[in-house]
Amino acid sequence: MENVFGVVLAAGQGTRMKSSLPKVLHKVCGKELLSHVIDCMNSSAKLKKLIVVVGNASELVIKYLEQYKNTEHVFQKERLGSAHALLQAEKKLKNFSGHLVVMCGDTPLVKARTIKDLLKWHIRNKNAATVLSGKVQNPLGYGRIVRNSEGRFLEIVEEKSATYEQKKINEINSGIYCFDLKVLWKALKKVDNKNSKKEYYLTDVISILNKYGSKTDAVDLAREEDILGINDRTQLAEADMIMRAEINIKHMENGVTIVDPVNTYIDKDVIVGQDTIIKPNTHIEGKTKIGKNCVIGPDTTITDCKIDDNVAIEYSCVEKSQIKKNVKIGPFSHIRPETVLKENVKVGNFSEVKKSVVGDGSKINHLSYIGDAHVGKKVNIGAGTITCNYDGINKFKTVINDEVFVGSNVNLVAPVTIGKKVLIAAGSTITDDVLPNKLTIARARQITKVRKNK
Ligand code: UD1
Ligand code: CA
């Protein structure tokens, strides 16, 4: 394979989004538009360089790009159009020969397979430019692919410049192109801005290359829903719906039961094991990994978690935590970041756990708050138990060793350590450490008196 390079055009204002966030950082299925495009580029070819053209709110986009080791960026100072944007990449590419794939940063649904096919076609036919086109129901807003009577590709006409007849053409420009680097820059410099938007249109490079006698082609390889460009919030929601359906189908094909796919929201990078059942109105977000035979939902949100096999979670929120085998969470629990629930743990009925490790077989089943704690194995945390971990300034640790039985409504004032097999009487407020195997009571003795005036 010859050298392949990539450029993502991501400098546009995104005016129609009406947002302070740059358009390419808006998310579809939990991932930024730009991220979808970069991932697509990287999986479609082994790129020698991947250059992102930034402009609008560039500091944010540049910062965002830091996570991608193989990308570089160039800055488009003024937004003069897509041709001008691509020209900014010349300084990084002018000493190279090979092929260039250009994508817009606002088309998150494109498949890597499609780009691979486009590139293959481009190289095999020795084209100077190959445009990925698609036949669509509604071409409104897209550039139209204009061909002569023999079907030869002549030019791309933008919506605003199209004649009445051209507007009827339903083969549109996806905004994805392959170029031969040898001829690109010269042609790009010939593009002018004599159009109603006074922009340098990248699409005009086609008629210029045709004039030079270079070979150009538009190939209708894309499905309408794959090339949807996101320009406003309605299209953002539409893209989300399309991608969500695709993600759900992929999981179902892999052996996951999704009871109600329309109301199940799984982010792009989530992994789910076979025979797991996902019930309605469940959101599984970020880099979550779920094992086999789990039952998740209904009404549950899981973000960036690692969940092992046979776990059941219902009506709960779980964030940035590790959940080991056979754990049961919910109904109505909140597991907050940096928590580890080890095998066979149960947390349920309005209990919250934060930044704590809970050992094998321990139970926190009713109305508790456990924060900054280390809970050993087979510990029973009684109903209403609270770790008092915060004095208003600092956070302190609570250690509850194996097989401790904490009675109901106990306050554990941290820092405090409870030895192995201790029994804490109900209603106690524990402020001092307790040695192993003791019974500890810290509450006022009950006094019963004669009731007056009765
Ligand atoms: C563009 C195409 C159109 C195609 C459609 C597909 C042009 C002139 N038109 O139209 O034929 O059907 O995409 O979705 O290219 N950009 C910059 N700098 C600029 C201007 C734009 O980086 O100065 C970037 C934008 O961030 C965006 C891309 O170029 O990623 C396309 O710009 P946009 O304004 O979205 O063009 P469309 O009107 O959608
Ligand atoms: Ca667009």
Side-chain angles (χ1 to χ4, degrees):
M1 183 81 133
E2 295 168 70
N3 284 341
V4 180
F5 302 84
V7 168
V8 179
L9 305 180
Q13 302 276 1
T15 329
R16 290 166 277 181
M17 292 298 282
K18 305 220 168 99
S19 174
S20 56
L21 191 69
K23 174 165 81 173
V24 291
L25 296 188
H26 280 263
K27 287 181 180 172
V28 166
C29 289
K31 226 166 129 164
E32 293 76 3
L33 300 181
L34 186 54
S35 216
H36 287 293
V37 173
I38 289 174
D39 288 354
C40 170
M41 279 277 209
N42 281 327
S43 15
S44 58
K46 189 153 175 31
L47 301 172
K48 275 211 88 161
K49 269 175 189 282
L50 178 53
I51 298 159
V52 180
V53 184
V54 302
N56 180 53
S58 56
E59 334 68 59
L60 279 176
V61 182
I62 291 166
K63 183 107 200 50
Y64 178 77
L65 285 172
E66 278 172 11
Q67 64 187 296
Y68 291 97
K69 297 290 164 263
N70 74 330
T71 62
E72 306 170 35
H73 65 268
V74 290
F75 182 58
Q76 185 192 18
K77 210 160 141 202
E78 291 174 284
R79 257 62 75 206
L80 301 179
S82 46
H84 179 257
L86 181 55
L87 204 50
Q88 308 310 307
E90 186 191 12
K91 53 180 172 290
K92 296 227 180 222
L93 293 171
K94 65 177 176 215
N95 297 326
F96 294 95
S97 63
H99 305 284
L100 178 65
V101 181
V102 177
M103 278 182 80
C104 295
D106 62 355
T107 50
L109 297 162
V110 182
K111 304 278 180 297
R113 179 80 259 154
T114 312
I115 307 288
K116 265 187 201 162
D117 291 344
L118 180 78
L119 194 59
K120 230 194 260 165
W121 182 288
H122 173 79
I123 293 172
R124 196 188 321 128
N125 290 291
K126 299 190 168 57
N127 289 341
T130 313
V131 176
L132 176 68
S133 71
K135 296 239 172 72
V136 300
Q137 296 281 339
N138 180 14
L140 186 76
Y142 289 104
R144 309 297 202 280
I145 302 292
V146 180
R147 297 177 184 272
N148 70 9
S149 52
E150 282 101 58
R152 218 187 100 58
F153 181 29
L154 298 179
E155 58 173 341
I156 300 172
V157 179
E158 289 305 299
E159 174 82 33
K160 284 207 167 150
S161 319
T163 63
Y164 180 72
E165 283 306 310
Q166 286 170 333
K167 280 188 180 153
K168 288 190 202 153
I169 299 172
N170 73 340
E171 188 184 3
I172 58 108
N173 168 25
S174 66
I176 296 161
Y177 320 80
C178 291
F179 293 107
D180 182 344
L181 281 173
K182 272 201 302 289
V183 291
L184 175 65
W185 309 116
K186 192 173 147 214
L188 213 47
K189 282 171 197 155
K190 285 273 187 298
V191 172
D192 63 33
N193 66 349
K194 289 182 191 135
N195 50 59
S196 61
K197 283 173 91 180
K198 304 232 161 355
E199 275 189 21
Y200 294 85
Y201 289 157
L202 175 54
T203 44
D204 285 350
V205 90
I206 298 299
S207 53
I208 293 167
L209 285 168
N210 282 338
K211 235 175 265 160
Y212 288 164
S214 300
K215 212 171 150 202
T216 66
D217 210 349
V219 272
D220 165 25
L221 290 171
R223 298 183 312 160
E224 181 162 12
E225 57 270 37
D226 287 351
I227 51 179
L228 176 70
I230 313 300
N231 300 310
D232 57 33
R233 308 254 182 177
T234 308
Q235 288 167 327
L236 188 72
E238 202 181 322
D240 207 89
M241 236 159 63
I242 294 169
M243 194 180 288
R244 187 164 10 111
E246 289 173 357
I247 290 170
N248 287 345
I249 287 169
K250 184 196 80 190
H251 289 299
M252 291 188 278
E253 283 172 355
N254 288 342
V256 176
T257 293
I258 299 181
V259 176
D260 180 4
V262 175
N263 294 298
T264 299
Y265 307 80
I266 306 178
D267 281 356
K268 182 88 188 237
D269 294 333
V270 167
I271 297 169
V272 186
Q274 209 173 311
D275 288 318
T276 284
I277 298 171
I278 302 174
K279 295 189 177 175
N281 200 19
T282 289
H283 301 245
I284 309 177
E285 301 176 339
K287 303 241 180 275
T288 297
K289 190 162 183 254
I290 296 178
K292 295 179 187 168
N293 295 307
C294 295
V295 181
I296 309 291
D299 298 318
T300 289
T301 300
I302 300 174
T303 310
D304 293 323
C305 286
K306 165 120 184 29
I307 295 173
D308 291 354
D309 299 345
N310 301 309
V311 168
I313 306 177
E314 56 178 339
Y315 300 103
S316 293
C317 291
V318 188
E319 300 161 67
K320 294 189 167 54
S321 291
Q322 285 184 52
I323 314 297
K324 304 289 182 192
K325 273 201 291 203
N326 304 319
V327 167
K328 282 195 168 34
I329 299 172
F332 312 111
S333 294
H334 189 183
I335 310 298
R336 291 170 50 200
E338 295 181 59
T339 292
V340 182
L341 303 184
K342 298 207 174 155
E343 291 182 21
N344 300 302
V345 163
K346 286 187 181 171
V347 179
N349 306 295
F350 308 99
S351 293
E352 171 182 353
V353 181
K354 185 214 92 174
K355 204 176 184 179
S356 296
V357 176
V358 182
D360 294 351
S362 292
K363 294 176 188 157
I364 309 169
N365 258 337
H366 322 273
L367 301 154
S368 281
Y369 170 62
I370 300 296
D372 303 305
H374 189 100
V375 179
K377 294 179 193 168
K378 292 189 185 158
V379 170
N380 183 79
I381 303 282
T385 294
I386 305 291
T387 52
C388 311
N389 60 327
Y390 185 47
D391 64 3
I393 301 163
N394 294 306
K395 302 267 169 75
F396 300 96
K397 198 160 175 165
T398 303
V399 178
I400 305 170
N401 282 298
D402 295 352
E403 294 175 58
V404 165
F405 187 97
V406 183
S408 295
N409 205 28
V410 165
N411 303 310
L412 297 152
V413 183
V416 70
T417 297
I418 312 298
K420 225 174 145 173
K421 293 191 177 179
V422 161
L423 170 64
I424 305 178
S428 295
T429 293
I430 302 295
T431 51
D432 297 330
D433 292 354
V434 183
L435 292 173
N437 302 305
K438 304 288 185 194
L439 159 69
T440 185
I441 309 177
R443 66 185 186 218
R445 184 172 285 281
Q446 183 176 351
I447 309 167
T448 309
K449 293 183 179 175
V450 175
R451 194 170 169 193
K452 287 175 188 158
N453 308 323
K454 272 279 165 189

